[in-house]
Amino acid sequence: MQLNGKGLHPEIGLYDSANEHDACGVGLVINIDGKKSHHIIDQGVAVLKRLLHRGASGGDSATGDGAGILIQIPDTFFRSQRFDFTLPEPGKYGVGMVFLPQDTVIRDACMAIVAEKIIGESRCLLGWRDVPINTACLGRLAKETCPVIKQFFVAAGPDDVDEAAFERKLYIVRRVIEKTIAGRFGDKVNFYISSLSCRTLIYKGLLMAPQLPQFYPDIVDKSMTSALAIVHQRYSTNTFPTWQLAQPFRYLAHNGEINTLRGNLNQMKARESNFSSPLFGDNLKKLLPIIIENQSDSACLDNALELFVSA
């Protein structure tokens, strides 16, 4: 695209130079026609790499504060994989992206809880997939704390009449799993579900932007397609960088600092006893507390947004 005489892009389509401003670590690429392609993901990765200056690195200079990408469920890609189960039609299965502990015994226990709680919520765990990763590209600190990364697949049930209903059910399943594991192992166990959705999938980690496609070979597979890509390069401020706190989160990629955080958390907690929803009914109590402890302000905002969107 050629610049005009003022050094700005010509005002074509939705672009208006009056809306120019700094993005500060967040990028979005989207095909407004909804057509999925690998090109959108490639462009998202390109945006992320150009946001490198918006992030930060650790003491070893090769460990980032966090980077990631949110895309739509890549159905074509998953159907090209070899599974010992059959995928239902698109929208009728959810994918969980999960960070698991390095300790084999605790990891097996966490995976058993995932299976148990999915069944307990009357849904079917189709199976697991080991996510290919390349730890050689990681910095020392990131490599030492790197979790075992897997995906699990959940089939929709007869009550999931549409994607919105299925998303609500997956939200309930995730919170039941999280609370059970936290209750058994405390908050020190390295277990975290990055995403569990029939719509979106998140690849993220304690990475610098250029490391994302190196660490996750899935991202460069040409059969992986999406009509949107949300990317984020993190600069940790009020929390230490961890694998879990890399963004995007499940509903947003966000750069804060939220100065009223404690007040917001207290008000949310104080009102939980009055929550009601015709969409969740009695299942609403399974989601409580809505805000998970010891997170970044952006992660807390994502918890709240998830509730409001779902309800």
Side-chain angles (χ1 to χ4, degrees):
M1 181 182 292
Q2 297 294 318
L3 300 180
N4 62 24
K6 299 179 181 179
L8 299 174
H9 290 300
E11 294 179 1
I12 298 175
L14 296 177
Y15 174 78
D16 185 341
S17 59
N19 295 323
E20 285 280 1
H21 58 84
D22 290 335
C24 205
V26 177
L28 165 66
V29 180
I30 188 167
N31 184 327
I32 60 174
D33 296 325
K35 183 179 179 181
K36 296 182 179 182
S37 70
H38 185 70
H39 181 58
I40 292 291
I41 297 175
D42 277 344
Q43 287 185 313
V45 171
V47 170
L48 183 63
K49 290 179 179 179
R50 290 167 184 162
L51 292 172
L52 180 61
H53 65 290
R54 296 289 184 178
S57 61
D60 64 7
S61 76
T63 296
D65 276 9
I69 185 169
L70 180 150
I71 61 174
Q72 292 173 301
I73 294 290
D75 181 69
T76 301
F77 169 78
F78 284 133
R79 293 187 190 279
S80 72
Q81 303 298 300
R82 292 184 177 180
F83 295 136
D84 58 1
F85 57 87
T86 301
L87 281 175
E89 64 183 86
K92 294 297 184 181
Y93 68 91
V95 184
M97 187 80 162
V98 60
F99 295 161
L100 292 160
Q102 295 175 353
D103 183 282
T104 303
V105 174
I106 299 178
R107 180 169 68 248
D108 289 346
C110 289
M111 292 176 66
I113 290 172
V114 170
E116 172 191 320
K117 296 307 173 183
I118 290 173
I119 295 171
E121 291 297 324
S122 302
R123 296 301 180 270
C124 174
L125 174 63
L126 295 169
W128 294 83
R129 174 179 182 253
D130 294 327
V131 177
I133 58 173
N134 171 28
T135 59
C137 70
L138 298 180
R140 178 181 58 84
L141 297 174
K143 189 178 296 185
E144 289 175 355
T145 57
C146 182
V148 173
I149 304 176
K150 292 179 180 286
Q151 291 164 341
F152 61 91
F153 296 77
V154 183
D159 296 336
D160 302 321
V161 293
D162 54 27
E163 284 191 4
F166 190 23
E167 283 288 283
R168 284 193 295 274
K169 190 61 183 181
L170 292 173
Y171 180 18
I172 293 167
V173 168
R174 196 194 83 238
R175 287 299 291 131
V176 170
I177 291 170
E178 290 171 339
K179 292 197 294 183
T180 302
I181 289 177
R184 185 169 303 180
F185 298 108
D187 59 4
K188 299 188 186 306
V189 65
N190 190 15
F191 176 89
Y192 176 77
I193 299 176
S194 298
S195 58
L196 176 55
S197 172
C198 65
R199 295 170 171 167
T200 58
L201 182 63
I202 298 171
Y203 285 85
K204 69 176 187 177
L206 197 56
L207 308 165
M208 301 182 76
Q211 294 170 340
L212 183 71
Q214 299 171 22
F215 182 70
Y216 289 115
D218 283 0
I219 292 175
V220 299
D221 191 299
K222 297 301 182 184
S223 66
M224 179 167 279
T225 61
S226 178
L228 64 86
I230 300 175
V231 296
H232 188 280
Q233 172 73 51
R234 187 167 187 246
Y235 191 114
S236 179
T237 51
N238 59 358
T239 52
F240 286 110
T242 66
W243 283 83
Q244 291 91 329
L245 292 180
Q247 296 192 45
F249 291 120
R250 302 172 191 112
Y251 275 76
L252 59 78
H254 174 264
N255 289 285
E257 297 166 357
I258 302 175
N259 296 324
T260 57
L261 179 63
R262 177 47 56 189
N264 292 340
L265 295 175
N266 290 342
Q267 290 188 61
M268 177 69 85
K269 184 69 175 176
R271 287 163 171 74
E272 284 183 348
S273 61
N274 295 324
F275 284 178
S276 64
S277 167
L279 294 176
F280 282 104
D282 290 340
N283 282 323
L284 185 60
K285 60 176 69 95
K286 296 179 181 178
L287 305 176
L288 306 180
I290 298 300
I291 310 296
I292 301 169
E293 291 293 323
N294 303 317
Q295 299 186 117
S296 65
D297 46 6
S298 297
C300 294
L301 177 60
D302 189 72
N303 290 161
L305 183 62
E306 181 175 31
L307 174 71
F308 297 144
V309 172
S310 301

